[in-house]
Amino acid sequence: MTYRILDASALRDWLAQRHDLSERLGGAAADWDIREVSDGNLNTVFLVNGSTGALCCKQALPHVRVAPDWPMPLERALYESRYMQAVAPAVTGLMPELFAYAPDLFLLVMECLTEHEVLRSALIADQATPGFSTVIGSYVARTVQATGWVSQPFETGAHLLEQFSGNTALTRITVDLILTDPYRVCDRNPEPEEGLRADVKALQTDQILHQAVGRLQDRFLTARQALLHGDLHTGSIMLDGADVRVIDGEFATMGPIGFDCGLYLGNLALHLCAAPHKADAIRTEMLAFWQKFSEELRTGLRTGCGDMWALSRPDTRPALIETLLSEILRDTAGFCGLEMIRRTVGFAQVADYGLCTTEQKRLLARQKALQIGRTLIVEGASLRSFDSVLSLMGL
Ligand code: SR1
Ligand code: MG
């Protein structure tokens, strides 16, 4: 079968021929309820409900869904399926189960998270059950241990590099949208509101900032420490009470561990800028993330079987772990700052700013995000504790 864009009816026919999948749904194909719920920037997503089960079907389009004149290779679905398979054993219960990948249709068929809500929407509605960041801290620590050179034999890293280094189309999006566009004149950047024009101009001419962004470009492109989710923002997380799942691993690539940490924290920080009255709750979530992430990594790395640190002893290993955590902290701060800036002035901005009740408050929220973002990027490389990250955010 050749690739074609599936609508609800074509998806029904395709699922009906897949006995492994139609058995999960149950009943007659004609009775399945199929609803399109596409929400992200890139793909179409359908939820299919049958008499005994439900499925989530995600198909890559040959273009960016929200910008049809922007062509985009279909292979991102392949990389998402590879990512899910690579990390699934380490994060059981923290991501949806992948039931099937159809390579001809660039279609993923997954567990349907019917009761779950996207974390960003839950935060905006003030309905997120606190504690979700502990789960995300654990998720990142576990993926690092399952895929990082620091804990795996080098053959694992070599295999992952081979499996993911072809994900260049989506890595190109990251390189452009996160690491470059906000700091140059570029057609993809939306026209800023009038009050923000001077701030945007400043981003394009700030040599100190550009130098620090250059360091992070270097880290992102050359520090292949572990397999990254690559787009770990609050729209890539769903939750139902305490049940928290990470979705959308199509940006997966080998990269610096602090990238996933920084994107996650950056999105919490953006929410903080838009909803400053929630400072205590956001601070608690950020701390919970870092504590869980660093503790789980410390524990996991105490006894490693990687080729890195193969000569360390029980008395020398803790210092190596702390040095690694310090490096991750510095990267985390920088990537957090980059995410705050790009989500404020770049192509893919965040809905959180809709919480601001007046234009003036929204402008101030955006300016605050730009100021915190810049500080994290410029000063990130000299930070020594997570507390100093929080204080740079005014927390
Ligand atoms: C063209 S894609 C824009 C953004 O959406 C994705 O979720 C990534 O964050 C990407 O940067
Ligand atoms: Mg996504």
Side-chain angles (χ1 to χ4, degrees), residues 233-283:
H233 59 90
T234 49
S236 297
I237 295 165
M238 297 185 77
L239 77 175
D240 171 26
D243 183 350
V244 181
R245 311 288 187 100
V246 173
I247 60 169
D248 272 8
E250 64 202 320
F251 283 78
T253 184
M254 292 293 277
I257 297 163
F259 188 81
D260 277 352
C261 303
L263 259 56
Y264 177 64
L265 293 171
N267 281 269
L268 292 187
L270 286 158
H271 189 72
L272 168 73
C273 293
H277 61 283
K278 291 167 80 175
D280 285 349
I282 297 294
R283 182 178 196 280

Side-chain angles (χ1 to χ4, degrees), residues 125-206:
D126 216 358
Q127 278 171 353
T129 305
F132 49 85
S133 298
T134 307
V135 181
I136 302 304
S138 177
Y139 178 93
V140 178
R142 290 191 207 180
T143 57
V144 166
Q145 286 176 81
T147 66
W149 306 85
V150 74
S151 47
Q152 298 296 325
F154 88 89
E155 288 87 351
T156 302
H159 175 67
L160 290 170
L161 279 176
E162 189 266 322
Q163 287 258 301
F164 290 92
S165 61
N167 198 8
T168 50
L170 293 209
T171 304
R172 166 54 64 194
I173 291 180
T174 299
V175 168
D176 286 342
L177 267 52
I178 302 183
L179 291 151
T180 319
D181 287 357
Y183 311 97
R184 65 178 170 186
V185 178
C186 171
D187 286 347
R188 275 187 296 259
N189 296 334
E191 189 60 34
E193 58 195 280
E194 202 180 328
L196 210 61
R197 282 197 195 135
D199 305 83
V200 169
K201 185 91 192 146
L203 290 174
Q204 294 164 0
T205 51
D206 184 339

Side-chain angles (χ1 to χ4, degrees), residues 35 47 49 54 112-118 238-241 243:
R35 224 163 13 108
L47 302 187
N49 273 282
C112 187
L113 303 176
T114 319
E115 301 301 322
H116 292 65
E117 192 181 2
V118 171
M238 297 185 77
L239 77 175
D240 171 26
D243 183 350

